[in-house]
Amino acid sequence: MPRIGSVIGLMLAACASAPRAQPAAVPENLRVPDGQPLLLRAAARGAQIYTCKVKAADPAAFEWVLKAPEAELFDQSGARIGRHYAGPTWESADGSRVVGEVMQRSAVQGAIPWLLLRAKSNEGSGTFASVKYIQRLDTSGGVAPSGGCDAAHEGAEASVDYSANYDFYGSR
């Protein structure tokens, strides 16, 4: 007769390896269209890079504007599997890439917003070749600085640490 601990361990392993449905906590406007299986979940750790620029709507004022993310991507075991950078682009260690465009966003208190993105282009034949949608979830940090952007600092850059989970959906 199997021990209870090993049965529970097997059940947990089976659940962890099965592609999960979208969690209930994801806002409705960020849900991926039906028929798009989860291909990969990657954890990102890095920075959001901001540049101090003149406000378009008010040339006498200045604001921090997102220049680009710079982050490393990790799989669920903690192994580095790629990087995330301007575009926004996600590049796998296998050389495949997906560039996204924001479709929807959902504000988060004290962190950069959660996003739903659509693939604008894909390159290569690896991990990101068939990605159609990307969700940015579980964000922490990354918010533009609240001060320090004025005429004396025009062009200055600020790097703000952030982390997030990225879920990649598409065809298998």
Side-chain angles (χ1 to χ4, degrees):
M1 180 164 195
R3 293 187 358 231
I4 297 291
S6 53
V7 170
I8 291 172
L10 287 171
M11 289 171 49
L12 288 173
C15 289
S17 64
R20 65 177 178 74
Q22 295 181 53
V26 174
E28 192 64 36
N29 70 319
L30 300 185
R31 294 196 178 250
V32 173
D34 289 341
Q36 300 293 318
L38 178 65
L39 303 175
L40 173 70
R41 173 170 252 212
R45 289 191 304 272
Q48 298 282 318
I49 312 300
Y50 293 92
T51 304
C52 179
K53 294 189 173 187
V54 172
K55 267 189 178 179
D58 181 2
F62 291 81
E63 65 183 338
W64 290 106
V65 176
L66 181 65
K67 176 182 175 183
E70 288 182 10
E72 300 294 319
L73 299 174
F74 301 88
D75 68 13
Q76 295 196 332
S77 71
R80 185 184 172 283
I81 58 168
R83 63 192 190 107
H84 175 42
Y85 55 92
T89 303
W90 294 265
E91 183 176 339
S92 172
D94 66 19
S96 63
R97 257 181 279 214
V98 61
V99 177
E101 61 184 349
V102 175
M103 295 173 59
Q104 297 286 331
R105 61 185 71 233
S106 183
V108 176
Q109 184 72 28
I112 53 176
W114 290 12
L115 301 174
L116 173 62
L117 303 100
R118 171 179 36 231
K120 191 164 48 171
S121 66
N122 302 73
E123 291 181 37
S125 58
T127 303
F128 294 133
S130 60
V131 170
K132 302 285 185 247
Y133 295 94
I134 304 121
Q135 288 174 323
R136 178 172 77 186
L137 306 170
D138 309 320
T139 56
S140 177
V143 176
S146 58
C149 180
D150 53 33
H153 296 94
E154 183 175 3
E157 288 190 356
S159 177
V160 183
D161 289 346
Y162 94 105
S163 65
N165 286 320
Y166 289 97
D167 287 351
F168 299 90
Y169 293 85
S171 52
R172 293 196 182 275

